[in-house]
Amino acid sequence: MSTVDTLEAKASAAACRPFAPQDDAFHPPGPDIWHTETAWFAFHVPERKIGGWLYGFIRPNLGVCTSSVFLYDETESAPHRALFSEHQQAQPIPDVRDLNDFRFPRGYRVPTLEPTRRYKLDFQQDDVLTVDLVFEGIMAPQPYAKNAFADSAHYDQLGHVTGHIVLRGEKIAVDCHSMRDRSWGPRSDSAPPNFNRMCYDYGCGPDRVGFCTFSHQEELGEGGRSPIAHGFWLKDGCCVAIAEGVRTVERDPKNIWATRIVIEATDVEGVRHRAVGRSLSRFFFSPSRWISLDSLLEWDIDGSAGWGEDQDLWRYDQYALAYRRANHPGRP
């Protein structure tokens, strides 16, 4: 085995290691100025078609952190017209740098209640929005083993989210099965020029039948089929890696967003799975890196009812091209 092969094998083995309690804390940043620690949680209220994110990332070598909190429903998809949207791109890192109880400057706090498993989700902005939730994992965090995030480690975990939010005086109960992810490593603010569009889909419901998939898309708004690069399926309390699969998407011809998604996959034990999702509402999350066109979906997952999201990632120029082709044909 060559030196390169040996390094790649070691990197693959490291990427596949189990998520440990110390991974809830900061990792040594090394010299890369773009070293980034992320903590993302999603939740939803299906009967109201409400989806929500609490997303934070910290760049210790740059001395800044970012927090994004938003709620969306079927009425509006743009950040400036959504139920709630706040994106603070570059805030100073607080003096207390404990990721197990990190408080972002704009009211978002994520205390660890039980390492690798339970987390408190707090957010407060005046009398506009209060978030008081608990995420409890229903499975161990699963590593992404195929290096989709450059040299970053990335883990996904399905969980049960309970509690409530208060939006402009209205208290709304939350009791759903959703997702969190955790990553650390270099992540710049620029999408690479050869960026191959990525789509991230997940779903889960009260039966605790769920899945998560990553796929790379070549189509630019036309819809179609794409191979699944990585994923897992959760059923009967067992989480099994996907060996191969296909994601098929149908899109709204004007707005480009997904209207229907079909996930067909075979796991490493040879069992076939199928999930069919119908889009309920969507939101354009637009950080500096790319557009994430997020859709809340109602899923049929191997015959079990579930809910989750499709995250459809585009460079700005890619989405602009697809949108203009669909809405302004013949014009540059």
Side-chain angles (χ1 to χ4, degrees):
M1 180 179 291
S2 70
T3 302
V4 173
D5 290 339
T6 301
L7 291 173
E8 288 181 351
K10 288 182 178 179
S12 178
C16 292
R17 70 170 176 79
F19 188 89
Q22 60 266 30
D23 291 323
D24 281 319
F26 280 109
H27 298 81
D32 195 312
I33 196 171
W34 290 109
H35 178 85
T36 305
E37 301 264 358
T38 75
W40 167 75
F41 295 84
F43 65 93
H44 45 264
V45 184
E47 62 271 21
R48 299 278 294 267
K49 300 181 181 180
I50 293 175
W53 275 32
L54 297 106
Y55 179 39
F57 54 96
I58 305 106
R59 287 171 166 152
N61 289 346
L62 283 173
V64 298
C65 61
T66 298
S67 63
S68 295
V69 178
F70 57 79
L71 301 174
Y72 63 93
D73 65 7
E74 83 283 8
T75 59
E76 293 289 353
S77 58
H80 59 287
R81 296 196 300 261
L83 289 178
F84 180 87
S85 178
E86 169 154 309
H87 179 69
Q88 296 294 328
Q89 180 67 27
Q91 299 295 307
I93 298 178
D95 292 335
V96 179
R97 298 191 180 188
D98 179 4
L99 202 53
N100 281 290
D101 192 4
F102 193 84
R103 187 185 297 274
F104 292 87
R106 291 286 293 180
Y108 174 30
R109 178 170 170 255
V110 195
T112 299
L113 302 179
E114 180 184 341
T116 79
R117 183 172 174 83
R118 294 181 68 240
Y119 305 88
K120 185 73 173 66
L121 310 179
D122 290 329
F123 178 76
Q124 178 72 51
Q125 187 187 94
D126 304 322
D127 58 353
V128 179
L129 178 64
T130 299
V131 176
D132 184 358
L133 302 173
V134 172
F135 175 99
E136 182 168 359
I138 61 172
M139 52 175 277
Q142 298 297 302
Y144 190 111
K146 293 188 178 179
N147 207 29
F149 296 89
D151 297 320
S152 295
H154 180 99
Y155 290 79
D156 298 282
Q157 183 177 31
L158 289 167
H160 188 196
V161 183
T162 55
H164 68 271
I165 61 173
V166 181
L167 177 63
R168 298 181 183 89
E170 181 186 5
K171 186 175 182 179
I172 303 171
V174 176
D175 185 350
C176 68
H177 287 79
S178 192
M179 181 70 83
R180 81 163 182 127
D181 76 21
R182 176 82 174 87
S183 69
W184 58 90
R187 185 182 297 194
S188 79
D189 269 349
S190 298
N194 59 346
F195 174 63
N196 188 7
R197 292 206 315 99
M198 186 175 70
C199 293
Y200 175 83
D201 292 277
Y202 71 88
C204 192
D207 294 342
R208 299 197 169 185
V209 177
F211 73 94
C212 176
T213 60
F214 291 76
S215 58
H216 290 285
Q217 308 295 298
E218 294 182 357
E219 48 92 11
L220 283 181
E222 306 91 346
R225 293 163 57 88
S226 299
I228 293 171
H230 161 82
F232 60 79
W233 218 273
L234 178 68
K235 198 168 187 175
D236 300 326
C238 297
C239 184
V240 182
I242 290 173
E244 60 181 3
V246 174
R247 173 186 182 272
T248 303
V249 60
E250 299 174 10
R251 296 186 179 276
D252 179 272
K254 175 179 174 61
N255 296 293
I256 314 301
W257 55 54
T259 56
R260 183 175 183 269
I261 296 174
V262 179
I263 304 291
E264 297 169 297
T266 302
D267 66 33
V268 294
E269 296 178 355
V271 179
R272 294 183 177 180
H273 304 281
R274 179 179 169 90
V276 180
R278 178 176 65 91
S279 176
L280 303 177
S281 52
R282 70 283 311 160
F283 179 82
F284 285 87
F285 177 48
S286 305
S288 59
R289 186 176 172 88
W290 46 42
I291 291 171
S292 181
L293 210 178
D294 303 321
S295 298
L296 174 66
L297 288 100
E298 179 181 34
W299 291 99
D300 179 311
I301 310 168
D302 284 342
S304 291
W307 291 266
E309 277 188 319
D310 170 62
Q311 297 176 21
D312 194 5
L313 274 62
W314 306 70
R315 282 200 327 256
Y316 278 72
D317 62 300
Q318 290 173 332
Y319 183 80
L321 176 61
Y323 184 84
R324 293 187 68 81
R325 282 178 176 174
N327 292 277
H328 306 291
R331 300 182 67 181

